[in-house]
Amino acid sequence: MTQETVEKVVIFFAGDSGDGIQLTGSQFTNTAALYGNDLSTFPDFPAEIRAPQGTLAGVSGFQISFGSTEIFTPGDECDVLVVMNVAALKANLKRLKKGGAIILNTDGFDKRNLRLAGFADDENPLTDNSLADYRVSEMNVTKLTRECLVDVTLGVKEKDRCKNMFVLGFVYWMYNRSLEHTIDFLKQKFNSKPDVLEANTRVLKAGYNFANTCEISSSRFDVKPAKMASGTYRNIMGNQATAMGLIAASQQSGLDLFYGSYPITPASDILHELAKHKNFSVRSFQAEDEIAAVSASIGASFGGALGVTATSGPGVALKGEAIGLAFMLELPLIIVNVQRGGPSTGLPTKTEQADLLQAMYGRNGEAPVPVISASTPSDCFEATLDACRIAIEHMTPVFFLSDGYIANGAEPWLFPQSKDLQSIKVPMTKKENTDYLPYKRDDKLVREWAIPGMSGLEHRVGGLEKEDLTGNVSYDSGNHELMVKTRAEKVERIADFIPNQELDAGSEKATVLVLAWGSTYGAIKTAVKELLAEGYSVAHAHLRYINPFPKNLESLIRAYDKVLIPEINNGQLIKLIRDKYVIDAIPMNKIQGIPFEAREIKNRIIELHDGE
Amino acid sequence: MTQETVEKVVIFFAGDSGDGIQLTGSQFTNTAALYGNDLSTFPDFPAEIRAPQGTLAGVSGFQISFGSTEIFTPGDECDVLVVMNVAALKANLKRLKKGGAIILNTDGFDKRNLRLAGFADDENPLTDNSLADYRVSEMNVTKLTRECLVDVTLGVKEKDRCKNMFVLGFVYWMYNRSLEHTIDFLKQKFNSKPDVLEANTRVLKAGYNFANTCEISSSRFDVKPAKMASGTYRNIMGNQATAMGLIAASQQSGLDLFYGSYPITPASDILHELAKHKNFSVRSFQAEDEIAAVSASIGASFGGALGVTATSGPGVALKGEAIGLAFMLELPLIIVNVQRGGPSTGLPTKTEQADLLQAMYGRNGEAPVPVISASTPSDCFEATLDACRIAIEHMTPVFFLSDGYIANGAEPWLFPQSKDLQSIKVPMTKKENTDYLPYKRDDKLVREWAIPGMSGLEHRVGGLEKEDLTGNVSYDSGNHELMVKTRAEKVERIADFIPNQELDAGSEKATVLVLAWGSTYGAIKTAVKELLAEGYSVAHAHLRYINPFPKNLESLIRAYDKVLIPEINNGQLIKLIRDKYVIDAIPMNKIQGIPFEAREIKNRIIELHDGE
Amino acid sequence: MENKVYTAKDFSSDQEVRWCPGCGDYSILKQVQSVMPEINVPKEDIVFISGIGCSSRFPYYMETFGMHSIHGRATAIASGLKAARPDLSVWIITGDGDSLSIGGNHLIHLLRRNFDTNVLLFNNQIYGLTKGQYSPTSEKGKKTKSTPMGSIDHPFNPLALCMGADATFIARTMDRDPKHMREMLMRSNNHKGTSLLEIYQNCNVFNDGAFFGMTDKATKMNQTLFLEHGQPLVFGENKDKGIRLDGFKPIIVSLEDCSIDELWIHNEKDRVKAGLLTRFFDADFPRPFGVFYSEDRPTYEDALVQQIDDAMQQKGQGNLDDLLKGSNTWTID
Amino acid sequence: MENKVYTAKDFSSDQEVRWCPGCGDYSILKQVQSVMPEINVPKEDIVFISGIGCSSRFPYYMETFGMHSIHGRATAIASGLKAARPDLSVWIITGDGDSLSIGGNHLIHLLRRNFDTNVLLFNNQIYGLTKGQYSPTSEKGKKTKSTPMGSIDHPFNPLALCMGADATFIARTMDRDPKHMREMLMRSNNHKGTSLLEIYQNCNVFNDGAFFGMTDKATKMNQTLFLEHGQPLVFGENKDKGIRLDGFKPIIVSLEDCSIDELWIHNEKDRVKAGLLTRFFDADFPRPFGVFYSEDRPTYEDALVQQIDDAMQQKGQGNLDDLLKGSNTWTID
Ligand SMILES: Cc1ncc(C[n+]2csc(CCOP(=O)(O)OP(=O)(O)O)c2C)c(N)n1
Ligand SMILES: Cc1ncc(C[n+]2csc(CCOP(=O)(O)OP(=O)(O)O)c2C)c(N)n1
Ligand code: SF4
Ligand code: SF4
Ligand SMILES: [Mg+2]
Ligand SMILES: [Mg+2]
C-alpha cells in the first residue's frame, strides 16, 4: 500500500436511482469542503423519474472534483469511478481515465444486473478482461453490509439502504478523511430513528475499516487543503444561489418579492427554495401555466412588488407576449431562464446555452430587454442581484440566464455579508408629486414609478403605444418613433451603470482572446490557466452583461488577432458580436447536452494560437 | 377650364368612418384599372371601430396613385385631397402637396364639426386663409345630394348615405372617367333595392354633372393608359393574395388546406377570405387562441394536410413553443405573420417590419426556420405559394412575413393560369415501404413522410430529441449534436432550391446597393428608378428569401461600396447581414407605423452616393 | 384614512371615450363610475385591469389606477396584483372573447383560487374590436365574417362554466338596466372572493339586437326573470307567471293556476338550483338576471398572508445573513 | 378493408416502458392495449396524442400512430387532426397538470366543440414528471415541494368542470380496477363526440396512496359507488347501502331501513343528476365510478364536413382559375 499526495482528484459516484448516490456525493463534498479543499460538483440524474432498476436509463451519478489548487469545474476525466452495479459501470466507464481506479460492488454484477444492463448471456466485464487498463477494487457491498448488520433488527430492504454508507466509508479511507461530519449528519437526519442511525453509522465505519484492513485497495491519497481566500465558506448550488439573490434583492430594495412560476426542469428548484422562505415575505405562486406566471408577476410589479418569473426555454417561448407588455409598461420584472437542451422539449435534464437569441429577440416589435448571465453556481447570487438592480433602477424587464449545469452544480462559496451587498434604489416618485407624469424620464431615461395607493397619482398604463410623458394612448407617427428609440436608448444607457469588461486571465496583448458567457466559465478558466502556465499568449474575458454589452467591449476585443467564442449551442453570442462589431470572431460549439471539457477548449486554443 | 394630360395622380379620399370612403376609393380604383392605368392603393382605417363622428380619431381614408407609367406605391404626396368634413381635412392636409387640389364638403365644416375636430370657436380653415396655397373646390354635398333626391321616397339618413357618390361623380368628371363601371356595380349591389339603386345612380350622375357645369372646378385631367404587359388583370389586396396562394398550394400539392387561426388585426381577413372557399375543401378553424391555432394546424399536418396558421406579432409571440415542436417533428407548417406596429399591442392598425428577428430566433433552442417575405400585395400570392412549396418539399415549418401595408394595399395583378404554377411534390413515402424509418433522410436531408392510415408505417413522433433514422427518443450526446446540425443543415440546403438573388434595378457595378425586404419594395423601386434615370450609380436587390439567403447573396453585395438597408423597424435584416457576412452595411430606419416615401429613400441614396 | 366624498365625476378620466356611438359599453362605464363613490374605497386604492377588446378600453376612462393589458391575461395579472397587494380593490374588465376564448384558462383558475376581485364580463356574443367574428358565446349557426356559412361551435354557457370551476359568486345583468346593474355591481363589490358578473352588452355595430327580446319593451317582461334571494321566481308582463320545480325540471306556470307558495324560491346559497338557473337558455324560458349563487370560501390572498404570518411566527422575520450562511459552513484563515 | 384480427401484443411498441416500478400507468397501458383489438379499427387508423408528463409518455408504447407533443396542447392538436381526418380514431392522453393546469382552456374548448375523440385523463393529483409539485386536483393543504406549508389552492373538481363546459360524455375509472377500466374504455370509444374519462392513477413515488381508500380491500366497498344506467345507486360491503335523493340532497341510507325502489336510479342522460354525482367528494360519500353522463350532440367534424359538402353542392368543386380570376378583370393587349 502506498500513500501519495495529489493535487486534485475527480471521483464519479454512480448507481441505481434508488442507491442513494446523490447523498453519498454530497456527504463526500461536505467533508472535503470542511477539510479545506476547493471543489466543484455536478449531479447527473436520469431523465426518467425512476427508471427500472438495474438499467442504463436508471443510473444516477454524482461527480466531484476537489483539490489543493483552485478548482473551476467538476473535472473532465475521472480518477475514480465508484459503481454500485454493472449498468453504472457501463454508462460511465467512458468518463474514467486510463489507469484510473474503479471501486465496484460485485453484487451488482449478477446475472440479472448483467441482463438488465444489456449484456449478452456470456458477457461480463468482471471476467472478460475489459477492465484490464484500470485498477479495480471489487467488493460485495450488499453482503458486507448485511453481515455487519446481522444483529440489527431492521428489514432486509432497510439494511440494504445502508449500502451507500459502506462505499462512502471506503472512499473516506482512500482519501484519508474523517467520518465525523457524516456521522454528525446522520445523527441529525435520523434522530428519531435510532436503529437506522445505528445501522448507517455502523456500515459507514465498516466500509472505512474494510478499506483499512483488506488488501484490495492498494493506495491511499492525501489531498491537502487549498490555498483559498480566508473567510467563511458554504457550499452552494446555482438554483439555490439564484433564490437567495432574489431574496437579497428584495431586502436591498425594500420591495416584497413576488415569484410567479410554473414548474419545469431545471428551474423548479428555485420555486421549491423560495417557497420555504415565506418569513422573508416571499410570495411564491405556482401558476396554472407560464403565461399566468409572468402575467401575475407583472401584476405584482404593477402593485409595487419585485415581480419575478422563472422557467426554462419552452416556458420562455410562452412568455414572449407578456414580456413585451412589461417592456411597454416599463416595470421591473425578472425573467429567469434556467436553460436546458432544446429545441422543443429537447433534452430536459441536460444543459445547453441555446436560448440567448430567444432572450434577445423572442418578442414582437422592437423590444430590447437587458440580458444578464451567470457563470458559476455561486455567481448566480451576484448576477441575480445585479439583474434585479437593473430591473428596478432602470424600470425594465431583465432576462437572467442560468443553465442546467450551474443550476445543479455546486461549489464552495465565500458568501457575503448583507451589509456588503449593493443597495438598490427604487425610482419611486414622491407621494406628494403633484405634476407626476407616468412617462416622464430622468437622464437615465427612466420613468418615475407611482403605485396604487399613492393618492393623486392615479394613472393608466397599457400595451398600446404611449404618448411621451403622459403615457396616454397615441397613434401619432412621430411619437411612435420617438418612443421606440427612447426605449432602446434607455436600455443602451444601462451600459453607463455596469462595470467595464475585465479580463479574467491573460493580458490585453495576447494572441488569442477567449470570449464567452455563462456556464462555460469553469472549463475555459481551467484551460486558459494551464495554457498561461505553459507560456501561451491567451486571454479570457467572460461576459456577465450581454445586453447592453459593457462599453469597453469593442475596444477590448479589437486588440486581439483572434477571438474565439466557445458556446454550448450552435453559435449565438457570436452572432451578437459579429453583428455589433463586424468582427470575424471564431465559433466553437458543442451541442451535446453536456459542458465543455477544459482540454477541448485547450486544444482549440492551441490550434488557433499556433496558427491553423 | 383647362384640360391637361398628366402622367400620374395621387388622390386621397377622406371622411368619417360612416361616409363610405373605402367604397368610394375602391370604385375609383376599379374604374382606373379598367381604363388601363397602373395603380396602387392603400386604405387608412381609424384605430377605433367607429370613433365618434366628426372627430379626428374617426377619420377613414383611402389613397390611390394611378398613372400612365408604372406605379409602385400609393404615392408620397397627394395631388388631390377629397374631404367630407373638417376633421378629415385637418388629419390629412399634411399629405397634400403645395398647390394641390382640395375638394371639400362645406357641410362638414359647420360649427359642430369644427368643434369636434378640435377647432376653437372662432377658427375655421375655410375662412382663415390657411388654405391659400391650395386650389379649393367647395360644395355643400349634403345639400346637393338631398336636393337631387327630393322626389325619392327614402329617409334622410338613407339619402345622406349617397353623399359619397356625389363626390365620386365629381372626381370621375375631373379625370375624364366614365360612370359605367360604378353604375354596373351599383346595379349588382342594390339589385333588390331599386330605390336605393336609383338614388345612388342619380347622385353619382349629379356629382359628375355638377363638376361639368359649375364653375368651381377649374381643370380637367387626362391620365392615359399605362404601357403594361398585355394580358388579363384584376385588382388584388395582399391578404386576398395570401389566401389564394394557400389555396393554390393546396391544389398544387394535393394536400387539403387546414387553416387554424385566431382573429387579429391585420391578419383576420385571410381567415375571412378562406372561410368563403369551403368548396376548395378548405378547413378553416377559428381556434380559442393562437396556441390552439398553431397546435391544431400541427395536428392537421400530422394527419397529412397542409397546416397553416396566421396571425400578427403578438400572436406569433404565443406560438413559439409549438413552432419549436413542428420544427422537431419536421412536418410542413406555414406560419403567416401579417406584421403590425409593435412592441406589445403597439399600433395594431399601423404597419411595421419589426418581427423579422422574432421569426428567426423566437424559440427556445436551436430551431432555425425558413423565412419568406412578400414585397407587394400581388407578390403575396407567389411568395405564399413558394413558402408552401418549401414547407412541404423540405418538411419544415416556414415563416411567411407580410405586413399591414401590403395586406391592405391593392394593385393590379396579371394573375397567372393554374397550369403555369409551380407544382409541389409531397415527400410521402410509398404505401408499401417496408423499411420505413421516420427520420431517414434523402440528400436534401428531408425525411420521408408517412401519415395515419398507412398500414405498417405506424410510428411515434415527439418533441424530445430523436434518434437519427428511427426517431426514437434519445438522450445520447453525440446524437443530439448530429441532429441539431442536421436540422440546421437541412434548412441551409434549401438554398439549393431557391433562385439566386437578382437585381431588381441597376447594375452589379454601382456605387450604392439598396438591399431590402418586404413592403419597402415600392418606395425603393420608385426611388431607384428615378435615380437611375437621373444618372446615379445605384442598384436595388429585394429579398424574398431571408432564411436561408440565396447562395449568391454574399458575392452580390460584396461588389458594392455601400450597402444601404432601409427597413420599417429599428434595424433587423441588417443584423442578419452583418452577422452573416461581416459587412458594414448601413441602416436606414423609419419607425412611424407608416411606409417609407420614395423621396426619403431617394434623398438618403443621394447622400450616400455623393459621399457623406 | 380620512374618507373623501366622491362623485361619479371623480372617476371619469380625461381621456375621450371612443366606443362606437350607441355601444352598450357607455352605459356600463356610467354605472361603474356612479357606483364607485359608494364602495367606500379611496380612489387610489382601486385598480381596473383589462385585457384586449372594445370592452377592455374601459380602464382608460376610469380615474383610478389601471392597466390595459394583453388579450386574455387580465385575470392572471389581477391575481398577481391581488396576491401582492391584498389591500386594493381590484376590478377586472373583460369581453366574451377575452375571458372565454383566449383567457378561458386563467378565468377558471381565478375562480377556483377565489382571489377577492370583481370580474365584469362584457358579453356581446361577438368579437367587437377585430370587427365581427363569432365568439365562444355566439349561438350556433351564426353568420359572421369568419363563419360565412354559420358557426358550427356549440357555445359556452358562461355561468355554467363558472359554476363548474367552483366560482363563489355568479351574477348576470345587462347594459340596458342601469339600476339593476348598479345593484349587481354593489353585490359584486361586497362579495369577498371572486365575483363574476356577466353583463349582456349590445354591440350595435357587429351584433346589434343580440339581447333585443330582453330589452325591448314589448317582450322584456316575458323574457327576463329577476332573481331575488328568498323570493319566488315570478315574471311576466303583470308578474303573472312563475317557475315551479317538478323534481329537477323547472316548468313555467301561470299564477292563475298555481299558488305563489308552490313556486321555486330563489336561494343564492343553493349550488344545485343555481346550476339549474344557468341552464335557462331556451327560447321559451325567461333569462335570469341577478345573483345566481354566492358562497363563502376563504380567499387565496388571505391564506397566503396567513402563511407568511405563520412563517414569521415560527421562524421569525427572515434574516438575510442567516440565509446566506446556511447551516453548514467552514472557515479558512 | 379487410379486418385484421389483433391481439393486445400487436399494440405494444418496441420501446421499453420507463415509468417508475409500481406506477399506476402500467395498468392503464395494459388495459388500453387489451381493449384496442376490440374497437374494430385498423391499427393504422388509430392515433394517440399526448402532452407532457409521465402519463404523456404513453404514445411511445403504443404500436399505432402517435405524437408526444407539448405541455397542455394535446387536446388542441387532436382537434386539428380530427378536423383534417375525421376517419381516424383519436385518443388523447393527458395528466391532471397537462389537461387542467396549462391545458385547461383547450380541454374545455374541445369539450364544447365535441370533436369525436377520447380523452384519457390520468389523474394522480400531482405533477409526476417534474418530481412532485401539487396539481390543480391536489387537495387543499397538501404539502409538496412547491407548497411546503400546504397548498392554498381550492382544487378543481375535474368532472364538474367538464360538465360546466358542456361535455357530452363523462366517466371515471381507476388504475386498480382493470375490468371496469376496460369497460369504460369501450364506452368512451363507442361514444360519438368527446369522451372524457378520468382515471384515478396512483403515483407511488410522489403521491402514493392518494386513492388508497378506494382501492384497499378493507375500505373500497364503502368508498366506491359503481354507476350503471337504469340501476339504483347501491354500494357497501354487502351491497347494503344506497343513495336516496331528498329533494336535491343525496343521502346515504341503509337498505335495511329503505327499500331499493326508493333509491336514486342512475340515468346517464340526466345532466342535473350527473352534476350532483360529480359533487360526491366528501369523505362520508362513496366516490362514483362509471359513466356519469352521456349526451348525443353533433360533432364538430361532422358539421365541418357538412359545410364543405354543402359548399361543393352550391358552388361546385373549387376551380383555381376561377378563383384567381375573381369577378372583375380587364385586359390589356
Ligand atoms: C394575442 C392576441 N390575439 C388576438 C388579438 C386580437 N383581438 C383583440 S380583441 C379580440 C377579441 C375581442 O372580443 P371580446 O373579448 O369579446 O371583446 P369586445 O371587443 O367584443 O368587447 C381579439 C381577437 C390580440 N390583440 N392579441
Ligand atoms: C411549457 C412547459 N411547461 C412546463 C413543463 C414541465 N412539465 C412537464 S410535465 C409537467 C406536469 C406533469 O403533471 P401531470 O400533467 O399531472 O402529469 P404526470 O407527470 O403527473 O403524469 C410539467 C409542469 C413543460 N414540459 N413544458
Ligand atoms: S364594435 Fe361593438 S362593442 Fe366595439 S365599440 Fe363598437 S359597438 Fe361597442
Ligand atoms: S413519478 Fe409517479 S406518475 Fe411518474 S412514473 Fe413515477 S410513479 Fe408514475
Ligand atoms: Mg365581445
Ligand atoms: Mg399528474
Side-chain angles (χ1 to χ4, degrees), chain C residues 56-68:
Chain C
S56 288
R57 290 298 182 90
F58 199 98
Y60 289 126
Y61 310 136
M62 293 295 303
E63 186 55 29
T64 62
F65 281 91
M67 187 196 298
H68 177 226

Side-chain angles (χ1 to χ4, degrees), chain A residues 262-265 290 311 314-315 318 340 345, chain B residues 321, chain D residues 25 52-56 70-71 73 94-99 102 122 124-130 133 135 201 203:
Chain A
Y262 186 68
I264 189 167
T265 305
E290 283 85 354
T311 183
L318 291 166
R340 64 187 211 182
T345 312
Chain B
E321 193 202 7
Chain D
D25 291 350
I52 298 282
C54 293
S55 35
S56 287
I70 44 178
H71 199 30
R73 319 302 174 190
T94 182
D96 44 328
D98 194 63
S99 62
I102 191 168
F122 294 35
N124 56 11
Q125 303 187 343
I126 199 84
Y127 287 1
L129 191 71
T130 47
Q133 299 83 13
S135 90
Q201 172 245 325
C203 168

Side-chain angles (χ1 to χ4, degrees), chain C residues 222-278:
Chain C
N222 284 320
Q223 296 193 18
T224 57
L225 167 69
F226 287 86
L227 306 171
E228 275 181 74
H229 187 59
Q231 297 300 315
L233 300 192
V234 171
F235 69 107
E237 210 81 55
N238 311 304
K239 299 269 167 211
D240 54 354
K241 289 188 262 188
I243 314 256
R244 196 165 60 77
L245 267 173
D246 182 13
F248 289 157
K249 212 180 130 66
I251 37 183
I252 297 178
V253 292
S254 154
L255 290 188
E256 284 173 20
D257 314 331
C258 174
S259 125
I260 211 158
D261 302 338
E262 295 170 48
L263 295 184
W264 169 343
I265 306 295
H266 182 50
N267 178 359
E268 293 173 4
K269 302 288 165 192
D270 186 326
R271 188 207 293 271
V272 183
K273 283 197 185 142
L276 285 177
L277 285 170
T278 65

